[in-house]
Amino acid sequence: AVFLPPRTPDMMTSSSASVSAMMLQQDPSDTYLGMTQSRSVADDVIDHAGLMEAYGAKSRAAARSALQAHSKFSVDKNMLISVTVTASEPKLVATIANAYLDALYRLNGSMVASASEHRRAFLEDQLEGQKKALDQAEVALKQVEEKTGIVLPVGEAQAGLKATADLQAAIGVAEARLSGVRVGATENNPRVIQAQAELAELRAQLARRRASSAKENSRNGLASSATLPGLTLEYMRKMRDVKLNETIYDSLSSQYEKARIASLDPRPQLQITSEEH
């Protein structure tokens, strides 16, 4: 009998890869070769193939020695594992060869199921901790919302901030223009007077906007425009924390579900390439 072990064991998602290959991080063929020659597999073959009677063995140790003497295992250059059995009857040869494959399935499946169960329990603990972190992040976000009055979408808050910022930028341009026209001119110069008037109007607009914003925010229980930029930044940070914790929680949930399914249905994907009797 010739079979090909799984080639890409994945501790995160696979329910069929050998636990030994995962833990030892070596070539799966070497791992499966060792498993096939193990005492656990030999005892399984003896029981399911009825070799105590077939070999006339008086003890399990004697049956195990006889089975070992009539079994050969090898790995070829393509990493295919061959199990060669000799016996006095063709039917017994087929029974033993098939029993080896069946025993390997059972051993590998039980190991995968055990590892999946441990991983499921580990992820369950991680999920519980991450759920608490997500709840805390959501509470922190709610507190910032109550303090600032900012709730997604933040369009109105951003629009108000932009209008204030535009006025501040216009005041900066007006101040630069006034400084320019003052060069070589007196305060009575018409250009200076016009520039001063434009600057004064812009400053008045900014003052009115801030006063109006403060009154509106006070009436609605919101933060003032002076403190809103910092609070908006705080709000966005809390929102980012919530999204980050949601992403981690979703990822853990997906891994937990895969581990749960693997623990219930650990089906090793051994590819049987040929059987000769």
Side-chain angles (χ1 to χ4, degrees):
V2 182
F3 68 91
L4 178 66
R7 305 310 302 167
T8 55
D10 186 349
M11 191 67 174
M12 300 294 289
T13 61
S14 176
S15 65
S16 61
S18 165
V19 177
S20 298
M22 296 175 189
M23 301 303 294
L24 297 178
Q25 297 182 347
Q26 63 183 29
D27 191 297
S29 295
D30 293 334
T31 301
Y32 275 81
L33 182 63
M35 290 170 62
T36 307
Q37 300 177 81
S38 68
R39 178 171 177 171
S40 296
V41 169
D43 287 345
D44 191 310
V45 172
I46 290 170
D47 291 337
H48 286 82
L51 297 186
M52 292 287 292
E53 181 180 353
Y55 289 150
K58 296 182 179 181
S59 66
R60 182 174 293 274
R64 195 180 300 123
S65 297
L67 176 62
Q68 183 179 6
H70 292 87
S71 303
K72 294 182 180 180
F73 312 93
S74 61
V75 180
D76 65 16
K77 62 180 181 181
N78 295 318
M79 302 304 172
L80 294 171
I81 297 179
S82 298
V83 180
T84 304
V85 178
T86 58
S88 58
E89 299 178 2
K91 183 178 180 180
L92 182 58
V93 169
T95 298
I96 296 175
N98 291 332
Y100 266 114
L101 297 179
D102 293 340
L104 190 58
Y105 265 99
R106 283 188 286 269
L107 175 60
N108 192 73
S110 65
M111 293 172 68
V112 171
S114 177
S116 297
E117 179 60 27
H118 283 297
R119 180 165 181 73
R120 184 200 61 77
F122 169 77
L123 289 172
E124 191 171 9
D125 290 339
Q126 294 297 306
L127 268 176
E128 184 177 353
Q130 187 57 40
K131 182 62 168 61
K132 292 179 180 178
L134 178 57
D135 290 343
Q136 292 172 355
E138 290 175 341
V139 169
L141 176 62
K142 185 175 183 295
Q143 291 174 344
V144 172
E145 289 176 346
E146 292 174 347
K147 180 171 64 175
T148 65
I150 302 175
V151 181
L152 281 178
V154 294
E156 290 187 13
Q158 290 179 339
L161 290 174
K162 185 177 184 305
T164 300
D166 289 344
L167 275 174
Q168 290 174 332
I171 289 174
V173 172
E175 288 175 341
R177 184 184 306 114
L178 176 60
S179 298
V181 298
R182 273 177 170 165
V183 177
T186 64
E187 293 297 315
N188 294 325
N189 186 289
R191 295 178 60 196
V192 173
I193 294 175
Q194 181 180 0
Q196 287 176 332
E198 292 176 353
L199 178 58
E201 176 59 25
L202 289 172
R203 286 174 174 170
Q205 290 181 25
L206 179 60
R208 288 195 297 271
R209 169 165 287 280
R210 284 178 171 172
S212 176
S213 176
K215 184 183 298 183
E216 182 68 20
N217 290 343
S218 177
R219 182 166 60 251
N220 295 328
L222 307 182
S224 67
S225 60
T227 59
L228 194 55
L231 293 175
T232 301
L233 179 60
E234 181 182 1
Y235 173 84
M236 298 307 294
R237 285 173 176 168
K238 297 301 182 184
M239 175 57 72
R240 180 187 61 196
D241 290 342
V242 169
K243 290 187 177 298
L244 175 60
N245 281 282
E246 283 179 343
T247 300
I248 296 174
Y249 183 81
D250 290 343
S251 177
L252 286 173
S253 296
S254 176
Q255 294 177 39
Y256 172 79
E257 184 61 19
K258 291 176 180 178
R260 186 186 68 82
I261 294 174
S263 66
L264 297 175
D265 186 22
R267 293 176 293 180
Q269 297 176 347
L270 302 180
Q271 300 180 36
I272 309 302
T273 60
S274 67
E275 294 180 270
E276 297 180 2
H277 309 306

